[in-house]
Amino acid sequence: MKFRTNISKIDRCSGLSKKAFYNNYVKSSLPVVITDKAEWTSSEKFTPEYLKSNYNHLSKTIDGKIYSLSEIIDLCKASTPENKAPYPITFDALKDFSENFGGLPEILFGKSNRLNSRLLSNFFAKHTNKHELFFGGYGCSFPTVHFDWLGVHSQITQIKGEKDVILYSPDQTPYFYPDKRHHHRSPVDIVNPDYDKFPLFKNAKAIKTTLKPGETLFVPAGWWHTTYMHDFNLTVAVSHVNAFNWNFFMDELYLNTKIHYPKLAWMVKVYKVVMSKIFNLKESLVN
Ligand SMILES: [Fe+2]
């Protein structure tokens, strides 16, 4: 995978054409904040009040206790760094909030998002084709530094509140001591690192960006990242696979299949080659 590491800040762009986005960011594996593609986030349908009155039938079990959506929103609104709301709390945006999210324009990171294709079976998509809606509050942060499972690109669109995203380029992987079985997660606590245990982490160079409502961050496949919230937060995350990260995605899928279904792993290798040709041909017909 190609990537550049000599960047010290993340670009913020509006009016970016599909071609410029693909050539300048996706192909170079560089994160970027797109500021003008999610005006829908200002709709009153995404206010905590609207969600509480229209979706209170939804619930989540947290530490053995069932919380209604209203209770979850109240927990997130009351969150402080000393008394944090549980995080992450996620829902399936398209299934649970179909009225709000159905039909919203998707930001394409290439000619298509192969995860949405009927050619990719659910066995291979492994639930990465969900739109995840995250609720959070002041002081919440993602529990581990990680790169997104199966080497997908991520679209993080901020709906409410502000969120810091801290990113590290993929060439810094050795500094994160990834777990052998779950190699997309790091055991390093980046806020209070144990340098005796993880001395190489001293070399890690982070880039931080802050997302505001209506802004979308493109996180290229393989970039390590975590998040920190400043207030009540509502964020939707969408995974993408295109020509650029297809091999990464299928190689990660192969490793995963080898662990869980060793006898079927060879199928993933064949599928990778055959489907790559089919997707490339199909996409060559798209402008
Ligand atoms: Fe992530």
Side-chain angles (χ1 to χ4, degrees):
M1 179 170 287
K2 287 194 303 178
F3 46 80
R4 295 206 304 260
T5 56
N6 57 343
I7 58 165
S8 53
K9 70 175 184 58
I10 293 175
D11 289 348
R12 306 174 68 80
C13 295
S14 62
L16 197 60
S17 70
K18 262 172 77 172
K19 202 171 170 188
F21 180 33
Y22 190 73
N23 287 335
N24 299 342
Y25 298 101
V26 181
K27 269 168 77 177
S28 307
S29 183
L30 284 182
V32 61
V33 175
I34 302 162
T35 58
D36 63 343
K37 290 266 195 271
E39 292 80 7
W40 53 266
T41 50
S42 61
S43 160
E44 60 146 39
K45 286 188 176 176
F46 295 101
T47 56
E49 297 72 30
Y50 184 92
L51 297 173
K52 279 165 93 167
S53 10
N54 290 277
Y55 293 97
N56 206 33
H57 56 280
L58 297 173
S59 63
K60 280 275 152 179
T61 303
I62 305 162
D63 295 332
K65 192 181 162 199
I66 299 172
Y67 291 86
S68 68
L69 187 71
S70 283
E71 289 171 321
I72 289 169
I73 289 174
D74 288 342
L75 267 180
C76 292
K77 286 176 96 171
S79 179
T80 63
E82 296 74 34
N83 191 15
K84 296 173 204 166
Y87 192 81
I89 303 174
T90 63
F91 288 86
D92 183 332
L94 293 179
K95 189 167 147 267
D96 298 329
F97 298 87
S98 56
E99 184 212 347
N100 289 24
F101 286 93
L104 286 175
E106 185 166 330
I107 299 174
L108 277 182
F109 296 169
K111 290 201 169 176
S112 74
N113 183 358
R114 295 180 180 184
L115 292 176
N116 292 341
S117 170
R118 271 179 286 175
L119 294 172
L120 192 75
S121 79
N122 269 337
F123 175 77
F124 291 105
K126 294 272 184 210
H127 311 297
T128 51
N129 50 2
K130 274 199 293 193
H131 288 38
E132 275 192 296
L133 184 64
F134 287 76
F135 287 82
Y138 179 32
C140 292
S141 69
F142 207 84
T144 55
V145 185
H146 62 281
F147 67 80
D148 285 330
W149 193 53
L150 294 183
V152 296
H153 300 303
S154 280
Q155 168 191 334
I156 300 177
T157 297
Q158 193 66 4
I159 303 172
K160 288 277 173 262
E162 290 195 11
K163 168 177 278 175
D164 288 341
V165 187
I166 298 103
L167 298 116
Y168 302 83
S169 53
D171 61 333
Q172 301 186 63
T173 296
Y175 308 156
F176 288 89
Y177 300 83
D179 181 298
K180 275 205 177 98
R181 193 170 165 90
H182 303 286
H183 65 273
H184 63 294
R185 286 187 216 147
S186 169
V188 179
D189 174 352
I190 63 163
V191 181
N192 296 300
D194 180 343
Y195 290 122
D196 291 334
K197 222 167 154 187
F198 308 114
L200 290 177
F201 183 69
K202 280 184 189 158
N203 303 316
K205 286 191 176 60
I207 315 173
K208 189 183 91 170
T209 193
T210 302
L211 289 181
K212 296 189 170 75
E215 295 183 339
T216 296
L217 174 66
F218 162 61
V219 182
W223 275 70
W224 294 87
H225 58 275
T226 190
T227 52
Y228 178 83
M229 272 133 269
H230 293 279
D231 45 19
F232 173 74
N233 253 246
L234 195 56
T235 309
V236 66
V238 183
S239 301
H240 291 249
V241 171
N242 57 20
F244 185 73
N245 64 334
W246 175 255
N247 286 347
F248 188 15
F249 173 72
M250 290 307 295
D251 292 345
E252 289 288 302
L253 194 60
Y254 172 75
L255 292 176
N256 189 270
T257 311
K258 220 167 109 183
I259 293 168
H260 299 288
Y261 309 98
K263 288 185 179 159
L264 300 179
W266 66 272
M267 281 172 52
V268 180
K269 287 212 158 174
V270 175
Y271 192 89
K272 171 185 165 183
V273 176
V274 174
M275 291 310 293
S276 170
K277 288 188 194 313
I278 293 173
F279 275 124
N280 288 343
L281 180 67
K282 198 166 167 259
E283 289 164 7
S284 69
L285 305 172
V286 178
N287 282 331

